[in-house]
């Protein structure tokens, strides 16, 4: 059974860089999308971006200028960097495994079936 | 970019049936996936694809879709179903989430 274990700094000052890592246990990167999602206090889920097994990335347009997601297949890990953080970046950050499927062309589905435990990141001076 | 719209809050009497809806243009080509999130916990996938439940999800959870609207139905809601529910799909190269629906079981 695949499990995701994430870690990273939980307290940052404004303008610093957020850095989180997610390790994949019990499975491989092939055939999946590996995402980062965040949830500000009391609010909903926001997709940050994703990386596929080949290293191809997609980012939320609202965060694209500050986000980098990378992959280390030798360690079975993927990482998130978010630069120039502000208080608005305070949130619980999750990593997740995404699956793209075809029901019957042209109908598809996409789901995130495995999630990390979440990391609380607070940005405060 | 595409958005998914959910009602902010829904309530249901214990044992009754409730439907939570999600609207968005991306749902014309993607079936919505649905997640349950309880306070302090990570989201859990409850419905994916046309109407599929991951292992361990009770069969009182079901999904359906019509046009640009997807629905999550809980038949015979239980106290433990009280949670936030989120829908999700893709819009091209991006992933989108609905704003979430808080379900209260009365």
């Amino acid at each position: 059974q695949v499990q995701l274990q994430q870690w990273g700094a939980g307290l940052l000052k404004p303008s610093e860089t957020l850095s989180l890592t997610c390790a994949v246990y019990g499975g491989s990167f092939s055939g999946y999308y590996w995402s980062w999602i965040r949830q500000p206090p009391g609010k909903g889920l926001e997709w940050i971006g994703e990386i596929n097994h080949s290293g191809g990335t997609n980012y939320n347009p609202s965060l694209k200028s500050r986000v980098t997601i990378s992959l280390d297949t030798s360690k079975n890990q993927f990482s998130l960097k978010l630069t120039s953080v502000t208080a608005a970046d305070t949130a619980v950050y999750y990593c997740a495994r995404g699956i793209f499927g075809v029901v019957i062309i042209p109908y598809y589905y996409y789901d995130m079936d495995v999630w990390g435990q979440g990391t609380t990141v607070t940005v405060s001076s | 970019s595409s958005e998914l719209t959910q009602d902010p809050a829904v309530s249901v009497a214990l044992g009754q049936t409730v439907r939570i809806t999600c609207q968005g243009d991306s749902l014309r080509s993607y079936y919505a996936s649905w997640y349950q999130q309880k306070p302090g916990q990570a989201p859990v996938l409850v419905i994916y694809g046309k109407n599929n439940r991951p292992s361990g999800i009770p069969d009182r959870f079901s999904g359906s879709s019509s046009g640009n609207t997807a629905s999550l139905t809980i038949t015979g809601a239980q106290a433990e179903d009280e949670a936030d529910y989120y829908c999700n799909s893709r819009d091209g190269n991006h992933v989108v989430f609905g704003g979430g629906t808080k379900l209260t079981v009365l």
Side-chain angles (χ1 to χ4, degrees):
Chain A
Q1 183 177 355
V2 175
Q3 294 186 345
L4 304 183
Q5 182 76 28
Q6 57 181 105
W7 65 89
L11 181 60
L12 297 172
K13 289 181 167 50
S15 81
E16 292 185 334
T17 295
L18 179 157
S19 183
L20 298 175
T21 299
C22 183
V24 180
Y25 297 104
S28 74
F29 282 110
S30 287
Y32 299 100
Y33 293 82
W34 302 92
S35 274
W36 289 96
I37 302 100
R38 70 181 183 179
Q39 185 171 35
K43 296 188 177 181
L45 301 171
E46 179 183 31
W47 178 71
I48 298 170
E50 67 185 5
I51 190 165
N52 64 26
H53 65 278
S54 302
T57 54
N58 293 305
Y59 299 127
N60 185 322
S62 68
L63 298 169
K64 185 174 182 177
S65 63
R66 299 193 291 133
V67 173
T68 302
I69 296 175
S70 59
L71 193 63
D72 187 338
T73 54
S74 67
K75 294 183 179 179
N76 253 28
Q77 296 174 358
F78 64 107
S79 298
L80 168 69
K81 289 192 186 304
L82 180 67
T83 61
S84 305
V85 297
T86 70
D89 296 311
T90 293
V92 177
Y93 286 73
Y94 296 100
C95 57
R97 184 178 79 168
I99 300 174
F100 171 82
V102 181
V103 178
I104 178 170
I105 293 174
Y107 299 104
Y108 309 95
Y109 70 90
Y110 177 83
D111 66 76
M112 297 177 178
D113 67 333
V114 184
W115 292 67
Q117 79 276 19
T119 300
T120 299
V121 176
T122 302
V123 181
S124 174
S125 56
Chain B
S1 64
S2 180
E3 294 180 350
L4 297 178
T5 301
Q6 298 181 241
D7 291 329
V10 170
S11 62
V12 61
L14 184 68
Q16 296 303 301
T17 297
V18 63
R19 185 163 63 183
I20 298 169
T21 61
C22 174
Q23 285 189 305
D25 287 342
S26 64
L27 300 181
R28 295 188 184 279
S29 53
Y30 275 88
Y31 285 95
S33 295
W34 291 93
Y35 305 84
Q36 177 192 71
Q37 187 181 34
K38 296 182 179 180
Q41 298 182 17
V44 172
L45 179 68
V46 295
I47 291 290
Y48 68 95
K50 195 171 183 180
N51 180 19
N52 300 300
R53 287 175 287 105
S55 174
I57 302 301
D59 61 6
R60 63 178 179 270
F61 289 88
S62 63
S64 61
S65 182
S66 179
N68 72 336
T69 301
S71 300
L72 172 70
T73 299
I74 307 174
T75 303
Q78 301 300 302
E80 61 264 32
D81 299 334
E82 186 162 291
D84 294 327
Y85 290 85
Y86 294 90
C87 60
N88 151 246
S89 75
R90 288 190 75 93
D91 176 27
N93 288 330
H94 302 130
V95 174
V96 289
F97 284 98
T101 297
K102 182 176 183 60
L103 176 66
T104 300
V105 180
L106 304 171

